[in-house]
Amino acid sequence: MRYEMPTTAKAAAGLLAKEKGRAFVLAGGTDLLVKMKAGVVEPDLIVDIKAIKGMKDIKKSAGGFVIGAAVPCVALSENAALTKAWPGVVEAANLIGSKQVQGRCTMSGNLCNASPAADSVPALIAAGAKVSIISAKGSRKVAVEDVTTGVGRTSLKKGEFVTAIELPAKKPKSGDAYLRFIPRTEMDIAVVSCAVNVSLDAKGMITKARVVLGAVAITALLVKDAASAIVGTKLDDAAKAKLAAACSAACKPIDDKRGTVEFRTEVAGVLARRAAEIAYARAGGKQ
Amino acid sequence: MHSISLALNGKPVHGQVEGRTLLVEFIRESRGLTGTHVGCDTSQCGACVVSVNGKAVKSCTVFAVACDGAEITTIEGLAKGVDLHPMQVAFKEHHGLQCGFCTPGMIMASIDIVKRHGKSVDEETIRRELSGNICRCTGYHNIVKAVQAGAANM
C-alpha cells in the first residue's frame, strides 16, 4: 500500500486518476482505518488530503459556509457563527463516535462512507447543503442527497473526491434540528434519526420545510410529504400528527439487532415531531 | 517505507514505517513504549489515547506516517522523574482503576478534558467527554472522582 500526502487538490486528483488499483481518500480516517484493520478494504493507494491548502478551513461568506473536506467535526462546534446558523448540522456532526473520534472524523467522510445511519448526512440534506467534487477532469457541485446511492455506495466516479461541503447562508426566521434514537446515551449508531429545517413568515407560519430521515432506508430519505404536512401551518398538533404519519409512511427499514421494522417506523414519526418542534422554536416560532 | 521524525515525550525520534503502520504500533512496537494500550482496535474503547500536538487522539486510528513532524506525548511522558502528573496522582488516590487496562487512555483523555474545560470541570461534562473511553471493570464513579480531583491540582 502506498501512502501519499499531496499539498494541492490537483495533485491529489492526479494521483487518484493514475491509480490502477484500489484508491481511497483519507480525511479523518475513522471509518477507513477501521475497515482496513477488519480486512474489509485493502487499499493499494491512500491519498491523505489533510495537507491540501484550505481542506481544514471553515470559510464564511455572504453565500454561507464552505467547510473543507478535512475539517474535523470538533472544529464545527468551535465555530460560533456556524453553530449559530446551523445548530442542527453541528449537533449531528458532534454525535458521531466519541470526543476523540470527533477530533478526527469529518462530515465529508461521513457522507462518502455512505452508511444509512450517518448522523451528519440527514442534517446536511435538511440544510440544503451541496458538495464540491473535483477530479483530474474538472470540478462539479451536487446536492448532498445526490451523493449516497446505497449502502457504502456513492455517485462519485473513479478519480473524483469531495473537497468541501457548502452550507447556504441562514435565512431570517429559520431553524434546523437533528435528533436520533440510540439505546445508549453516547457512542452508538443511529437506530432512527431525523433532521428538520424550517423557515417561517412574520406570523410564525411555516413557509418552507425540509424533513430528512436517517437509518430507515438504504440512504437518508428526503421526505417531501412530511414537509408538505407542516408548510402553511404553525406546527399545531394536527400538522405534527400529519408530519409523523408521513415520516412513518416513508420508512423502508430493516430488522436488525438495533431495532425492528415496527419500532423504526413508529420512532421515525416521534423523532420528526420532536425535531420539528425544536427547529420551529429555533426559527423563532412560538407554540 | 516512509521516514518519519517526530518528538515523542519530548525526545526527537526517527523511524522507518510502512504506509499502513498505525501510530500505536509505532509507539508500542518500534519504540517499546507499551503504556499505550490497544483494547478494541476499532476506535471505540480509548485505551490507546495519546496526545498529538496537544490534542487527545486514538492512536489506533491514525497512521504513523501522518504524524511526521508531530509532538506526541504518551502516558510515559507525563511524570517528571519520580513525580507523577497530578492526574496520575488523583487516579492513584481515588482508586480510579481496578485492572488498569483503560487507565493510560483515561488519564490522557482526562488531561485533554481539563485543558479544554478548566480546573472546575463538572461531573456531567467529564462523563460526556469520557464517552470514548471504556472501563471494562465499570469503575466509572471513581474515575470521575479522580478526574475532578486531578483537574483541581493541574
Side-chain angles (χ1 to χ4, degrees), chain A residues 1 3 5 26 28-30 33-34 36-37 42 46 48 50 97-101 104 184 186-187, chain B residues 2 19-20 22 41-44 49 56 58 60-63 65-66 109 116 128-129 131-133:
Chain A
M1 188 203 91
Y3 170 90
M5 200 177 199
L26 172 67
T30 53
L33 269 68
V34 174
M36 283 172 64
K37 282 183 278 181
E42 282 292 335
I46 282 184
D48 189 338
K50 287 194 287 294
S98 60
K99 204 71 181 178
Q100 297 99 339
V101 169
R104 306 286 302 177
R184 308 197 295 211
E186 308 274 348
M187 280 286 282
Chain B
H2 301 262
R20 65 181 300 145
L22 301 169
D41 216 14
T42 50
S43 65
Q44 296 185 62
V49 172
K58 291 185 171 178
C60 78
T61 315
V62 184
F63 290 132
V65 60
R116 286 180 291 109
R128 190 180 64 243
E129 292 259 348
S131 63
N133 291 78

Side-chain angles (χ1 to χ4, degrees), chain A residues 10-284:
Chain A
K10 200 179 163 192
L15 284 164
L16 292 169
K18 269 193 299 185
E19 180 60 34
K20 294 199 170 62
R22 288 152 300 189
F24 287 84
V25 173
L26 172 67
T30 53
D31 286 308
L32 180 61
L33 269 68
V34 174
K35 283 182 181 173
M36 283 172 64
K37 282 183 278 181
V40 177
V41 297
E42 282 292 335
D44 295 302
L45 169 69
I46 282 184
V47 178
D48 189 338
I49 59 168
K50 287 194 287 294
I52 298 173
K53 199 169 178 284
M55 287 283 169
K56 294 181 103 170
D57 296 343
I58 301 173
K59 288 183 207 123
K60 185 176 186 289
S61 69
F65 296 86
V66 178
I67 300 164
V71 172
C73 289
V74 152
L76 305 175
S77 59
E78 288 169 353
N79 187 307
L82 180 66
T83 305
K84 190 163 180 264
W86 294 106
V89 172
V90 175
E91 280 164 2
N94 284 286
L95 285 172
I96 303 169
S98 60
K99 204 71 181 178
Q100 297 99 339
V101 169
Q102 289 150 20
R104 306 286 302 177
C105 71
T106 65
M107 290 202 295
S108 295
N110 198 215
L111 175 62
C112 294
N113 184 54
S115 160
D119 282 305
S120 68
V121 175
L124 286 170
I125 295 173
K130 289 186 169 65
V131 292
S132 297
I133 295 169
I134 196 170
S135 72
K137 288 175 192 158
S139 60
R140 62 188 179 110
K141 273 185 202 179
V142 296
V144 170
E145 56 266 38
D146 295 329
V147 174
T148 313
T149 55
V151 180
R153 291 176 186 279
T154 69
S155 58
L156 268 68
K157 296 183 195 78
K158 184 177 154 43
E160 286 190 324
F161 71 100
V162 170
T163 54
I165 289 176
E166 295 184 14
L167 279 164
K170 184 188 170 334
K171 293 189 182 72
K173 286 190 83 70
S174 71
D176 75 328
Y178 174 80
L179 291 175
R180 72 169 182 191
F181 175 85
I182 53 171
R184 308 197 295 211
T185 55
E186 308 274 348
M187 280 286 282
D188 209 344
I189 294 167
V191 178
V192 189
S193 67
C194 183
V196 177
N197 177 22
V198 293
S199 299
L200 315 182
D201 67 13
K203 290 177 184 163
M205 193 82 85
I206 298 172
T207 54
K208 273 185 194 157
R210 280 168 78 86
V211 179
V212 185
L213 296 173
V216 292
I218 57 166
T219 65
L221 297 177
L222 178 62
V223 187
K224 296 208 166 131
D225 289 348
S228 327
I230 55 171
V231 167
T233 76
K234 289 185 178 177
L235 204 63
D236 52 78
D237 287 347
K240 278 189 277 188
K242 274 191 196 165
L243 165 75
C247 285
S248 292
C251 291
K252 286 172 265 180
I254 55 165
D255 273 322
D256 68 4
K257 63 181 177 184
R258 294 199 174 82
T260 60
V261 168
E262 291 77 11
F263 180 81
R264 286 186 156 110
T265 305
E266 167 91 23
V267 173
V270 176
L271 289 185
R273 209 167 59 220
R274 292 180 188 169
E277 285 169 355
I278 298 168
Y280 188 76
R282 282 177 177 164

